[in-house]
Amino acid sequence: MPDQYILALDQGTTSSRAIVFDHAGNIKAQAQKEFRQIFPRPGLVEHDAQEIWSTQLGVAQEAITQARLRASDIAAIGITNQRETVVIWDRQSGKPIHNAIVWQDRRTAGLCDQLRAAGKEELIQQKAGLVIDAYFSGTKVKWLLDHVDGARERAERGELAFGTVDSWLVYNLTGGECHITDATNASRTMLYNIHTGDWDDELLALLDVPRAILPEVRASSEVYGETAEGLLGSRIRIAGIAGDQQAATFGQACLERGMAKNTYGTGCFLLMNTAGEAVPSQNRLLTTVAWQFDDTRTYALEGGVFVAGAVVQWLRDGLGIIRSSSDVERLATSVPDSGGVYVVPAFVGLGAPYWDSYARGTMVGLTRGTTAAHIARAALEAIAFQSAELVSAMEKDSGVTLKELRVDGGASTNDLMMQFQADVLGVPVVRPKITETTALGAAYLAGLAVGFWKDRQEIASQWQEDRRFEPQMSEDQRRQRLGQWQKAVSRSRDWEEAEA
């Protein structure tokens, strides 16, 4: 396919992007558009699903035009998406019955408490590989069916369709022809059995979700269908789907057991490839599907930090101490250290390994000498500290000692933070030449399905190192800093009262 390209649609939490990749994995063109974040009240986060679709379609058209290509030059489309976010729509009209409920939303924390109190934690970990948390899709689906007028009855009659964002995009791209998801997205719902590779009747009954609304679960790399006439000029095959973190793991070529990557986006997500073994976590990590080819699933251990890059947005929008996100490194570098300040950005609770929905953001160690620069530096360090806790848990679970950490995402371009990450981990942190690995992973999955790339070896050979950060901190200093961090975290825990 000499003059063909792959179009990756990267539907994220704050923006929709489209990137055109060539055969060498280089970017030919890209377009991006932010969309509204809706906060009905503290702890609740929603998106307008129609706006997700319109921005995603708009940037897809823009990227093709910008690359000076026609739709016929695109060999396939790969999709990657913010995971766990829930859309329920009317099958006939295609209209959502409510705003999308976003992965960060905490409205179902009380329901999760009830499930834990009922002793369901072991069942959900064994079947779904997940802990019970408001983060996952299942409790959000139940909430919508229970709180939108008539939704449950309509769902049982088969009039409604549920999907994570990948399903919603494919449904619209194919003009309503395909109601599907892939195994990676399904594995984040609390409704899917990661061992059998299908929706699980016991989990569906537990969360009172009718099977009639569920999408069909497919492999991460296969031709699912084609775009509808009139959307992009001519019909293009849709051939790859993976949740954003799994796509980034694939794009980072972490194709062997024990390889790991960390994506620094709105949140921070660390995945370690465990090959064909779904490793059950003893340290409250998640066991998830990394990707599926044909009927063969590759698994990963995953730890999530809910607030990473979002802490920099908070410094900009909430505190007003920087004008733009890119100013944070300059401000943080203006002081030699954080001056004893620790920021715990638990704005929406804490993810792995704590899973504390009731933790809240905390700043400790403040003195009269504390400046905006110390706070900025402490905020960046918080992202690295949270990630270091995940690596430690992962090594214990898998029995694999990490040799290096591959990094990507917006904040991975911050040299100060990457050096600090290497320091608190004690292993090299490696940044690739192409940091858009989430979109690249989706492109690779789609390209493999249509023969654009030959095999996974070809993909692994394309990965190139940009910069390697070697640890420079002494073991004593590392231990002392991590100890102080854990002390700061303990101050943020269990702050909110549980809702009755």
Short mmCIF file of all heavy atoms in Angstrom, two decimals, residues 224-250:
data_model
loop_
_atom_site.label_atom_id
_atom_site.label_comp_id
_atom_site.label_asym_id
_atom_site.label_seq_id
_atom_site.Cartn_x
_atom_site.Cartn_y
_atom_site.Cartn_z
N TYR A 224 -14.40 -4.13 11.19
CA TYR A 224 -15.74 -4.17 11.81
C TYR A 224 -16.84 -3.72 10.85
O TYR A 224 -17.99 -4.13 10.97
CB TYR A 224 -15.79 -3.25 13.03
CG TYR A 224 -14.63 -3.41 13.98
CD1 TYR A 224 -13.65 -2.42 14.08
CD2 TYR A 224 -14.50 -4.55 14.77
CE1 TYR A 224 -12.58 -2.56 14.95
CE2 TYR A 224 -13.42 -4.69 15.64
CZ TYR A 224 -12.46 -3.69 15.72
OH TYR A 224 -11.40 -3.84 16.57
N GLY A 225 -16.47 -2.82 9.93
CA GLY A 225 -17.47 -2.26 9.03
C GLY A 225 -16.84 -1.08 8.30
O GLY A 225 -15.61 -0.90 8.35
N GLU A 226 -17.70 -0.29 7.65
CA GLU A 226 -17.19 0.87 6.89
C GLU A 226 -17.93 2.13 7.30
O GLU A 226 -19.07 2.05 7.78
CB GLU A 226 -17.39 0.65 5.38
CG GLU A 226 -16.56 -0.46 4.80
CD GLU A 226 -16.74 -0.58 3.28
OE1 GLU A 226 -17.80 -0.15 2.78
OE2 GLU A 226 -15.82 -1.06 2.61
N THR A 227 -17.29 3.27 7.09
CA THR A 227 -17.96 4.54 7.38
C THR A 227 -19.14 4.71 6.42
O THR A 227 -19.09 4.26 5.28
CB THR A 227 -17.00 5.73 7.22
OG1 THR A 227 -16.45 5.72 5.89
CG2 THR A 227 -15.86 5.67 8.22
N ALA A 228 -20.19 5.35 6.91
CA ALA A 228 -21.39 5.57 6.10
C ALA A 228 -21.08 6.53 4.95
O ALA A 228 -20.17 7.36 5.04
CB ALA A 228 -22.51 6.14 6.98
N GLU A 229 -21.86 6.40 3.87
CA GLU A 229 -21.73 7.30 2.71
C GLU A 229 -21.84 8.76 3.18
O GLU A 229 -22.63 9.08 4.06
CB GLU A 229 -22.88 7.04 1.72
CG GLU A 229 -22.77 5.73 0.97
CD GLU A 229 -21.66 5.70 -0.06
OE1 GLU A 229 -21.08 6.77 -0.35
OE2 GLU A 229 -21.35 4.59 -0.55
N GLY A 230 -21.03 9.62 2.56
CA GLY A 230 -21.24 11.06 2.80
C GLY A 230 -20.53 11.63 4.02
O GLY A 230 -20.53 12.84 4.22
N LEU A 231 -19.93 10.78 4.86
CA LEU A 231 -19.27 11.33 6.06
C LEU A 231 -17.88 11.86 5.75
O LEU A 231 -17.52 12.95 6.16
CB LEU A 231 -19.14 10.25 7.15
CG LEU A 231 -20.37 9.93 8.00
CD1 LEU A 231 -19.98 8.92 9.08
CD2 LEU A 231 -20.95 11.18 8.64
N LEU A 232 -17.08 11.05 5.02
CA LEU A 232 -15.68 11.41 4.81
C LEU A 232 -15.29 11.44 3.33
O LEU A 232 -14.11 11.44 3.00
CB LEU A 232 -14.77 10.42 5.57
CG LEU A 232 -14.93 10.43 7.10
CD1 LEU A 232 -14.21 9.25 7.73
CD2 LEU A 232 -14.42 11.74 7.70
N GLY A 233 -16.27 11.44 2.47
CA GLY A 233 -15.97 11.48 1.03
C GLY A 233 -16.23 10.14 0.37
O GLY A 233 -17.00 10.05 -0.57
N SER A 234 -15.59 9.09 0.83
CA SER A 234 -15.95 7.74 0.39
C SER A 234 -15.82 6.81 1.60
O SER A 234 -15.32 7.22 2.63
CB SER A 234 -15.05 7.27 -0.77
OG SER A 234 -13.70 7.27 -0.38
N ARG A 235 -16.27 5.58 1.43
CA ARG A 235 -16.33 4.69 2.60
C ARG A 235 -14.93 4.20 2.99
O ARG A 235 -14.13 3.86 2.12
CB ARG A 235 -17.25 3.52 2.30
CG ARG A 235 -18.66 3.98 1.93
CD ARG A 235 -19.65 2.85 1.85
NE ARG A 235 -20.07 2.46 3.19
CZ ARG A 235 -21.15 1.70 3.43
NH1 ARG A 235 -21.90 1.27 2.43
NH2 ARG A 235 -21.47 1.37 4.65
N ILE A 236 -14.65 4.21 4.29
CA ILE A 236 -13.34 3.76 4.80
C ILE A 236 -13.58 2.65 5.82
O ILE A 236 -14.50 2.73 6.63
CB ILE A 236 -12.58 4.92 5.51
CG1 ILE A 236 -12.45 6.15 4.60
CG2 ILE A 236 -11.19 4.46 5.97
CD1 ILE A 236 -11.86 7.38 5.28
N ARG A 237 -12.74 1.61 5.76
CA ARG A 237 -12.88 0.50 6.71
C ARG A 237 -12.48 0.93 8.13
O ARG A 237 -11.47 1.63 8.30
CB ARG A 237 -11.99 -0.68 6.28
CG ARG A 237 -12.51 -1.38 5.02
CD ARG A 237 -11.59 -2.48 4.57
NE ARG A 237 -10.33 -1.97 4.05
CZ ARG A 237 -9.35 -2.73 3.61
NH1 ARG A 237 -9.46 -4.04 3.61
NH2 ARG A 237 -8.23 -2.19 3.16
N ILE A 238 -13.26 0.51 9.10
CA ILE A 238 -12.92 0.72 10.51
C ILE A 238 -12.36 -0.62 10.99
O ILE A 238 -13.04 -1.64 10.90
CB ILE A 238 -14.16 1.11 11.34
CG1 ILE A 238 -14.79 2.39 10.73
CG2 ILE A 238 -13.81 1.34 12.80
CD1 ILE A 238 -16.20 2.65 11.23
N ALA A 239 -11.10 -0.61 11.46
CA ALA A 239 -10.42 -1.91 11.61
C ALA A 239 -9.63 -2.08 12.90
O ALA A 239 -8.97 -3.10 13.07
CB ALA A 239 -9.50 -2.13 10.41
N GLY A 240 -9.69 -1.12 13.81
CA GLY A 240 -8.97 -1.29 15.08
C GLY A 240 -9.64 -0.50 16.17
O GLY A 240 -10.08 0.63 15.93
N ILE A 241 -9.76 -1.09 17.36
CA ILE A 241 -10.31 -0.38 18.51
C ILE A 241 -9.54 -0.81 19.76
O ILE A 241 -9.31 -2.00 19.96
CB ILE A 241 -11.81 -0.72 18.77
CG1 ILE A 241 -12.70 -0.36 17.57
CG2 ILE A 241 -12.32 0.01 20.02
CD1 ILE A 241 -14.16 -0.82 17.74
N ALA A 242 -9.16 0.15 20.57
CA ALA A 242 -8.62 -0.17 21.90
C ALA A 242 -8.81 1.04 22.80
O ALA A 242 -8.69 2.19 22.34
CB ALA A 242 -7.14 -0.54 21.84
N GLY A 243 -9.11 0.79 24.07
CA GLY A 243 -9.16 1.86 25.05
C GLY A 243 -7.83 2.60 25.07
O GLY A 243 -6.79 2.03 24.72
N ASP A 244 -7.85 3.87 25.46
CA ASP A 244 -6.65 4.71 25.29
C ASP A 244 -5.39 4.13 25.91
O ASP A 244 -4.31 4.16 25.30
CB ASP A 244 -6.91 6.14 25.77
CG ASP A 244 -7.47 6.24 27.19
OD1 ASP A 244 -7.51 5.22 27.91
OD2 ASP A 244 -7.88 7.35 27.57
N GLN A 245 -5.49 3.56 27.11
CA GLN A 245 -4.26 3.08 27.76
C GLN A 245 -3.71 1.81 27.12
O GLN A 245 -2.50 1.61 27.02
CB GLN A 245 -4.49 2.87 29.25
CG GLN A 245 -4.98 4.13 29.96
CD GLN A 245 -4.20 5.37 29.55
OE1 GLN A 245 -2.99 5.33 29.38
NE2 GLN A 245 -4.90 6.48 29.37
N GLN A 246 -4.62 0.95 26.67
CA GLN A 246 -4.16 -0.26 25.98
C GLN A 246 -3.56 0.11 24.63
O GLN A 246 -2.55 -0.46 24.21
CB GLN A 246 -5.33 -1.24 25.80
CG GLN A 246 -5.75 -1.88 27.12
CD GLN A 246 -6.93 -1.21 27.77
OE1 GLN A 246 -7.11 0.00 27.66
NE2 GLN A 246 -7.74 -1.98 28.49
N ALA A 247 -4.17 1.08 23.95
CA ALA A 247 -3.63 1.54 22.65
C ALA A 247 -2.24 2.11 22.84
O ALA A 247 -1.33 1.85 22.04
CB ALA A 247 -4.57 2.58 22.04
N ALA A 248 -2.04 2.89 23.90
CA ALA A 248 -0.71 3.46 24.16
C ALA A 248 0.32 2.38 24.45
O ALA A 248 1.47 2.47 24.03
CB ALA A 248 -0.79 4.46 25.32
N THR A 249 -0.10 1.33 25.15
CA THR A 249 0.82 0.21 25.45
C THR A 249 1.25 -0.46 24.15
O THR A 249 2.42 -0.81 23.97
CB THR A 249 0.14 -0.80 26.40
OG1 THR A 249 -0.42 -0.09 27.51
CG2 THR A 249 1.12 -1.83 26.91
N PHE A 250 0.30 -0.62 23.23
CA PHE A 250 0.60 -1.22 21.93
C PHE A 250 1.48 -0.27 21.11
O PHE A 250 2.45 -0.69 20.48
CB PHE A 250 -0.70 -1.54 21.19
CG PHE A 250 -0.53 -2.58 20.12
CD1 PHE A 250 -0.44 -3.92 20.43
CD2 PHE A 250 -0.45 -2.21 18.78
CE1 PHE A 250 -0.26 -4.89 19.45
CE2 PHE A 250 -0.28 -3.16 17.78
CZ PHE A 250 -0.18 -4.51 18.11
#
